[in-house]
Amino acid sequence: MKKKIARYTLLLIGIISGFSTTASAQKKVSLQLQETTPKQKFYQGSSIGWGVEGLIGKALGSPIFNTEVQWQVNLKNRFLPVVEAGIGSTNTVNEETQLLYKAKAPYIRIGADYNFMYKKAHLPGFLYGGLRIGASSFSYDVEGPTLIDPHYGKTTSIPISYQGISTTALWTEVVLGLRTKVYKNFAMGWSVRYKKKLSTVEKQGIAPWYIPGFGKNGSSSFNFTYSFIYYLPF
């Protein structure tokens, strides 16, 4: 009887010892994983970009030209605040009204993007969505020809000529885009933007045909952007 008790006692001690060893090993592995897995930094760098869609459009015959630069900060690879600033211009005749419009002015947009693929930091790119609010304070010229009555050959209107009409415009943008690295710190990005005009000041009864940073004047518009991007090495 005493031998059986001793045997069971040794067996129980062995089982308890085994559980203790296994728990200790698991704890060590857990601690090692915690030590080797780096904590995600809050600030993960910044980048600068150059928008070239305006250059491409101008080369293809667009009456509108614009170019811009952007500075974006990466927070936890998830939130991406951004500032975009550029200059836009046009010098064209509206075929419907036969009025010549000229404008050239800077614009600015402020907003943030959200990286939908923030958990996959090992990938060379990501898909994002974002919001912007844009503004431009600019002036424009409007000129129109003297109209001749085709039947009587007489002048029927005084030529239109307004110089330096100043105005301001404010709008919002919804952005959906894709960015991918192409070589070391260099990347390319594409985005589609839906723009909604919030306000514009019309003076002398003539609305601007073009708003720098927004595009053709209207309640809303769609735009496509294409950018070269460089990730700053600090």
Side-chain angles (χ1 to χ4, degrees):
M1 184 69 177
K2 290 182 179 180
K3 290 182 178 180
K4 288 184 179 182
I5 293 173
R7 190 179 301 169
Y8 289 139
T9 302
L10 290 174
L11 180 61
L12 182 61
I13 291 173
I15 293 172
I16 294 173
S17 176
F19 277 123
S20 177
T21 303
T22 303
S24 178
Q26 289 178 346
K27 185 176 181 180
K28 287 181 179 179
V29 171
S30 177
L31 290 173
Q32 288 176 355
L33 288 174
Q34 290 179 3
E35 291 176 357
T36 56
T37 303
K39 293 182 178 180
Q40 192 177 46
K41 295 180 180 180
F42 179 73
Y43 172 74
Q44 297 199 18
S46 59
S47 63
I48 55 174
W50 176 37
V52 297
E53 70 281 352
L55 296 172
I56 297 173
K58 193 66 176 178
L60 296 176
S62 173
I64 295 172
F65 169 79
N66 74 282
T67 185
E68 66 182 45
V69 293
Q70 65 170 222
W71 176 60
Q72 190 164 54
V73 177
N74 187 330
L75 304 179
K76 301 186 73 172
N77 198 42
R78 190 171 183 176
F79 305 104
L80 309 165
V82 62
V83 177
E84 300 168 338
I87 187 168
S89 65
T90 188
N91 185 347
T92 187
V93 175
N94 188 327
E95 295 181 357
E96 296 180 0
T97 63
Q98 293 301 305
L99 296 177
L100 171 65
Y101 289 88
K102 295 181 182 179
K104 185 177 182 180
Y107 60 89
I108 187 170
R109 293 190 290 256
I110 299 174
D113 295 326
Y114 182 85
N115 179 10
F116 296 120
M117 304 171 68
Y118 68 94
K119 292 183 179 180
K120 300 179 180 180
H122 61 283
L123 295 178
F126 57 85
L127 177 70
Y128 66 90
L131 297 173
R132 305 280 191 279
I133 183 165
S136 180
S137 178
F138 62 103
S139 61
Y140 58 100
D141 302 338
V142 181
E143 297 181 5
T146 300
L147 299 181
I148 306 297
D149 189 307
H151 298 288
Y152 300 99
K154 296 181 179 180
T155 300
T156 59
S157 67
I158 300 174
I160 297 174
S161 181
Y162 294 102
Q163 305 294 321
I165 304 174
S166 60
T167 188
T168 58
L170 186 69
W171 67 92
T172 58
E173 300 182 9
V174 178
V175 184
L176 181 65
L178 180 69
R179 177 183 295 192
T180 183
K181 286 186 177 181
V182 292
Y183 179 74
K184 293 185 177 180
N185 284 14
F186 294 92
M188 294 188 298
W190 304 262
S191 74
V192 177
R193 304 188 178 204
Y194 172 74
K195 303 183 180 184
K196 180 68 176 179
K197 189 173 66 175
L198 298 178
S199 66
T200 183
V201 180
E202 298 182 4
K203 296 183 178 180
Q204 300 180 2
I206 299 179
W209 179 79
Y210 166 73
I211 298 174
F214 179 84
K216 291 182 180 180
N217 191 5
S219 60
S220 62
S221 66
F222 276 99
N223 295 98
F224 174 80
T225 67
Y226 181 79
S227 303
F228 293 115
I229 300 155
Y230 178 72
Y231 289 98
L232 298 175
F234 51 81

